[in-house]
Amino acid sequence: MNLLEYVKENIVLLDGGTGTLLQKSGLKSGELPERWGCEHPEIMADIHRRYFDAGSNVVNTNTFGANSLHYSDEELETVVKTAIENVRTAASQSCGSQLKFVSYDMGPTGKLLKPLGELEFEDAVEIFAKQARLAEKYGANLISIETMSDSYETKAALLAVKENTNLPVFVTNAYNEDENLLTGASPEAMVAMLEGLGADAIGLNCSYGPDKLMGVIKRIIAVSSVPVIFKPNAGIPEMINGESVYSIGPESFASQVASACRAGVNIAGGCCGTTPEYIACLKSEIQGVKQIYPEKKKLSVVSCGTHCVTFGERPVVIGERINPTGKKLIKQALRENNIDYLISEGIEQKKCGADILDVNCGLAEIDEKQVLASAVGTLQSVCGIPLQIDTSDPVAMERALRLYNGKAMINSVNGKQQSMDEVFPLVKKYGGFTVALTLDESGIPETAEERLKIAEKIIAEASKYGIGKNDLIFDPLCMTVSTDDNAAKVTLESIKLIREKTGCNTVLGVSNVSFGLPCRDVINSYFFTLALGSGLSAGIINPKSADMMNAFSSFLALSGLDKSCLGYIGRMSGVSAGAAPVSDDQAGVQDIIGAVVDGRSDFAKNLSEKFIGETGGMKLVNEYIIPALDIIGQRFEKKEAYLPQLLLSAEAAKACFEVVKSHTVSAETHDKCTVILATVSGDIHDIGKNIVALLLDNYGYDVVDLGKNVRAEEILKTAKEKNAKLVGLSALMTTTVPAMADTVALLRSEAPGIKVMVGGAVLTEELARSMNADAYCADAMATVRYAESLQDL
């Protein structure tokens, strides 16, 4: 029986925290676990065997950090081959009679992808693809993508596996205490994207114990249509006699995870701190627990890198302004590749109430494939809401879908066979919520009944690709009433009929109704209200129009969709139509703050160039750039903004600082103390450290970044040479926590006057305290706050 069939009737038991046993078996500080496993195959196989003996159905290979960033192609192949052989040997030697499977363990690269970092998306895909091909070549039964803290990197890994192997793929992410990923994605957003891309099972691992992750796993269970994975840590670690000791014992851990299985978890195991004893207890605890295989949730959702928008709960506003049709300034921006103008339009529409932004770059004289991909990549990062990819070019559509961080809205497919043949394979591969136009080879039908027939044909064709009608939204199309008196009437009838007969959502490009008429916003708003009353799920409208948004707000209040009419009251208390995007020529010096907060690097840089002669360098820094960083920092701390926004703001501030440096003679922007940063010996992940370096640099600290896998002696030597007052240490892997403790101890002994702050995915306040660090910094802003607190000492 294969694994995917087995999980339908049985709870699948995973292994535990292999890294914990590696340390106990002789892995020394600074050694790479994957290489160590190749050098000690008997020990490695014995560790795996103990998990099989405890009852695990699935055991991961020792390949968490095995990628081409850390190993040559030749050594990578040796590592993968040996790691799979070690698990196979363990399975053959185990006394357990259960079904056994070898899972290739695929961890993160340790790099942030562009635009937040330096790693290109396609380069990340190829890094993961190399591993995937080797995993299938040497006989893995499945691939487990785990401990991913970035939705975009998760997508790259999953695409790589799906494109290069036929293996089942499990995906688990590491969620923070706020129940989001490091880069801000909610559990619902991850499920939407991962299901769309074809993951076979979805869930979480690492971060915390089962008690603190129960809220996240219940949210995943509520929306997932595929099996759910739960692989938490054994609680919170503490350093005792040089070892990480976890707060939750085997019995308590097993009891809590079994409770999650009763709530709908289908695949369970452990992460950091969970030895074979934990898995044996879990096996005993889930005896007799009935598998609750997930039902199809049939949700209609789109997502971005942070959240979902669900259709059917309330009408959705799709901003129409990023479209060259009838818009001279958008045409000009597209011809000049002025993405910053498109960003301005996106930001304004979001501020005015758009839930989703339509992005159309269809001009004959430009390379639509390149421009659309660029616009989508930038807009999704800066604006932070889902996008509707609007193109009739399947090549441009595929490129944009591939680079999109989330589950996109796709505009569009229609009833022509050629259109369905081109679009549905893309939806199947990348996922998507697709606008379906009720037209075919014969054109747009004149009656609602004929438009319904086309909708039914599209539903039937989509089902051949496994695309459910919950992932289709029908546009019954509206022609202008200036040339057809019955145009609006037929469209309204079509909305009702399609909704009633198919149960599908509907959408309209509302402004089409008023072409050729004066005062278009007036008739558009009345038609929008009629359409909403007929059951319209979403309107593609101008959210900067007061008439349109007043109609929308009023409809929500009158339909009982605006609790206590708070939205309506708020809007009528002073919210007006949005202003036109501010150009460089129109902007004042105060707009530097907004440009930095919004993460618009080019705009912020241009404004700095424009006003530095008026303000001087340090006034620009102290009165505009630093206050902007404080604003976004406070939003980040309040969970009103997430890591992408924080990083983009930091990059915009960095662009401003470069202007200050170039215009100020002997400018000393680093007027604060020297800070040494390093990822500790044996750890090859530096995302968190790099973020800290960027922020501290922007706040005026002289940052010396030693990189990753840095020995304690080198950190101490550099700190002394640079007369540093503060050292920041980072670690992602459980196996490198002892190296961090050793580094802190060395600094305490040889440089007692230096303050030491620690952070990273495996760190906690208790663990930092137990290794005698001065501060535990949970995120990048916490490091800034701690460094700032030392300035007054």
Side-chain angles (χ1 to χ4, degrees), residues 307-456:
H307 67 281
C308 284
V309 171
T310 301
F311 288 74
E313 294 179 349
R314 75 159 180 82
V316 172
V317 172
I318 302 169
E320 69 176 9
R321 296 291 303 166
I322 304 175
N323 188 321
T325 305
K327 303 178 184 69
K328 292 182 180 179
L329 292 178
I330 293 291
K331 286 182 180 179
Q332 180 181 343
L334 290 173
R335 291 189 186 108
E336 298 172 355
N337 198 28
N338 184 2
I339 300 299
D340 199 64
Y341 185 83
L342 305 186
I343 292 171
S344 299
E345 275 287 4
I347 291 171
E348 288 296 330
Q349 290 183 91
K350 177 184 176 182
K351 289 178 178 177
C352 291
D355 301 300
I356 297 169
L357 297 176
D358 181 81
V359 185
N360 184 311
C361 299
L363 274 183
E365 61 264 41
I366 68 171
D367 182 352
E368 185 184 2
K369 175 185 173 183
Q370 187 275 327
V371 175
L372 181 62
S374 177
V376 165
T378 306
L379 282 164
Q380 68 177 349
S381 298
V382 176
C383 297
I385 59 176
L387 304 182
Q388 175 173 270
I389 296 171
D390 187 352
T391 178
S392 58
D393 182 345
V395 176
M397 181 182 289
E398 175 162 23
R399 184 61 181 158
L401 283 173
R402 186 174 182 83
L403 295 177
Y404 183 75
N405 184 10
K407 178 183 178 182
M409 193 166 181
I410 300 169
N411 192 359
S412 57
V413 73
N414 60 58
K416 296 178 182 179
Q417 192 61 47
Q418 180 180 350
S419 174
M420 293 186 287
D421 290 346
E422 291 174 341
V423 174
F424 283 146
L426 301 181
V427 180
K428 173 65 175 175
K429 179 175 182 178
Y430 297 105
F433 184 58
T434 306
V435 176
L437 310 180
T438 55
L439 63 85
D440 60 11
E441 288 82 358
S442 300
I444 302 173
E446 294 185 359
T447 68
E449 290 74 17
E450 290 174 306
R451 296 182 193 186
L452 172 63
K453 287 181 181 178
I454 293 176
E456 291 172 336

Side-chain angles (χ1 to χ4, degrees), residues 534-716:
S534 298
L536 185 70
S537 308
I540 304 172
I541 67 169
N542 178 11
K544 295 160 64 175
S545 163
D547 288 337
M548 296 300 287
M549 293 308 290
N550 286 344
F552 179 70
S553 181
S554 299
F555 176 83
L556 295 183
L558 294 170
S559 302
L561 297 173
D562 180 7
K563 188 175 181 181
S564 301
C565 297
L566 294 178
Y568 177 84
I569 293 169
R571 178 166 185 82
M572 298 307 156
S573 297
V575 178
S576 60
V582 177
S583 68
D584 291 6
D585 293 337
Q586 298 168 321
V589 67
Q590 283 290 337
D591 288 307
I592 293 174
I593 295 177
V596 172
V597 169
D598 289 337
R600 298 171 61 191
S601 294
D602 291 343
F603 190 36
K605 180 180 179 181
N606 291 342
L607 293 181
S608 297
E609 291 276 10
K610 179 179 179 180
F611 292 108
I612 192 168
E614 173 186 323
T615 64
M618 294 319 296
K619 181 177 180 180
L620 195 70
V621 170
N622 294 327
E623 295 187 15
Y624 302 101
I625 302 173
I626 295 299
L629 287 172
D630 286 338
I631 290 170
I632 192 66
Q634 290 164 10
R635 291 180 183 175
F636 177 78
E637 290 168 331
K638 294 176 182 177
K639 307 304 180 186
E640 296 171 356
Y642 293 97
L643 185 62
Q645 290 87 5
L646 184 68
L647 285 175
L648 290 169
S649 294
E651 289 291 349
K654 184 178 180 181
C656 295
F657 279 121
E658 292 302 320
V659 173
V660 173
K661 290 177 184 178
S662 66
H663 284 74
T664 306
V665 178
S666 300
E668 185 53 68
T669 55
H670 293 115
D671 57 350
K672 297 177 182 177
C673 72
T674 298
V675 181
I676 309 297
L677 298 179
T679 301
V680 298
S681 180
D683 205 310
I684 50 183
H685 302 85
D686 58 1
I687 289 177
K689 173 189 61 62
N690 293 345
I691 296 167
V692 169
L694 178 62
L695 285 182
L696 287 174
D697 182 75
N698 280 345
Y699 271 87
Y701 291 89
D702 183 14
V703 177
V704 179
D705 186 350
L706 297 178
K708 57 193 176 185
N709 191 19
V710 185
R711 294 182 303 107
E713 294 77 13
E714 183 179 349
I715 295 170
L716 173 65

